Amino acid sequence: MFKRILVASAVVGLVLMGGAAQAQTVPAAALAKLPESARRAFNQTVFERKAATLFARLGAADLPFSLLREGLVGFYNVRAAGRAAGRPVLTLVDFSRPSQLKRLWVIDVAAGRVLFHTLVAHGKASGGDLPVAFSNQEGSEMSSLGFYRTAPATYVGKHGLSLKLQGLDPGFNTNAESRAVVVHGADYVCEEFVRAHGRLGRSQGCPALPAGQAAAIVQAIKGGSVLYLHGPAQAGYHSRWLEVDGATASWATPDGGGAGN
């Protein structure tokens, strides 16, 4: 027991002393010898350190760290569960912000850079400038919060190049496909509309994008990437994808996720 405690102290100490790079080289066998509480502390410390490092690399002043962190927890949990594939791209939508602000970020997690930062519309029944109501119900014309996986391929619909979404949060967004909640462009998502009306136009529940950027964003996120629609605290969203232990283990172990390296 004393030997196990010494191993735990040494390994966790690599991180606590600022040795994030060294900690990533700790063999899986050594981690497996740690008591569960020490292993969780090790994983949590590495995860938090690497999340902070990614945040600093992105250099996006108006991206809340709390939003990025939540998105990363879900990103790694979804990928570890085999529910997402393809490029390590994470799309964040912050529906706790009013529509007149840019509230969508497409992030290349591996490269540590923001690919797109732009406007995005919410559902017409979710609210005016600020969405306050969300639903998974057919015909609600509301936005649905939670984690999504993007479709493998695009299609051309009435709004041009578009991308289907599969909701991964039961009770919150799993009717996305039957409701035809997709990523598409729209003329009402632009600065001119905001200047004229004080808010963006609204969709029937789709995260609609500026018409001039939609095709490029759709191409960047297609193929099974993760999209997270975050809402205000009072919306009552909760998800198994936000359980931290699974995500921290995935990111901290030598063979576990690696996209944040």
Side-chain angles (χ1 to χ4, degrees), residues 57-213:
R57 288 178 64 190
L58 294 176
D62 57 348
L63 171 62
F65 176 72
S66 59
L67 174 61
L68 175 64
R69 184 185 178 280
E70 274 190 19
L72 287 172
V73 171
F75 173 82
Y76 277 97
N77 276 327
V78 169
R79 287 173 68 90
R83 301 296 297 275
R87 293 177 58 202
V89 172
L90 171 63
T91 303
L92 300 172
V93 176
D94 190 358
F95 279 157
S96 69
R97 291 185 168 198
S99 68
Q100 59 189 282
L101 300 180
K102 293 181 179 181
R103 52 185 182 171
L104 178 143
W105 297 261
V106 179
I107 297 168
D108 185 326
V109 178
R113 63 192 183 99
V114 177
L115 302 179
F116 300 94
H117 179 211
T118 192
L119 300 167
V120 58
H122 57 261
K124 62 180 64 178
S126 284
D129 185 28
L130 184 68
V132 294
F134 305 89
S135 176
N136 191 34
Q137 297 301 311
E138 301 279 351
S140 68
E141 297 192 326
M142 293 183 188
S143 295
S144 301
L145 300 178
F147 287 91
Y148 295 78
R149 176 176 61 192
T150 64
T154 63
Y155 73 97
V156 178
K158 64 180 181 179
H159 297 289
L161 193 69
S162 304
L163 185 65
K164 294 180 180 179
L165 298 173
Q166 179 187 14
L168 303 177
D169 275 308
F172 289 96
N173 62 18
T174 45
N175 289 329
E177 291 178 282
S178 61
R179 293 179 60 204
V181 173
V182 304
V183 180
H184 66 76
D187 292 338
Y188 53 76
V189 186
C190 61
E191 299 287 356
E192 291 78 6
F193 196 101
V194 171
R195 285 193 290 268
H197 302 278
R199 59 167 175 78
L200 287 184
R202 294 162 297 170
S203 68
Q204 292 181 301
C206 299
L209 304 173
Q213 293 179 288

Side-chain angles (χ1 to χ4, degrees), residues 205-223:
C206 299
L209 304 173
Q213 293 179 288
I217 293 175
V218 162
Q219 293 287 8
I221 69 175
K222 69 179 182 181

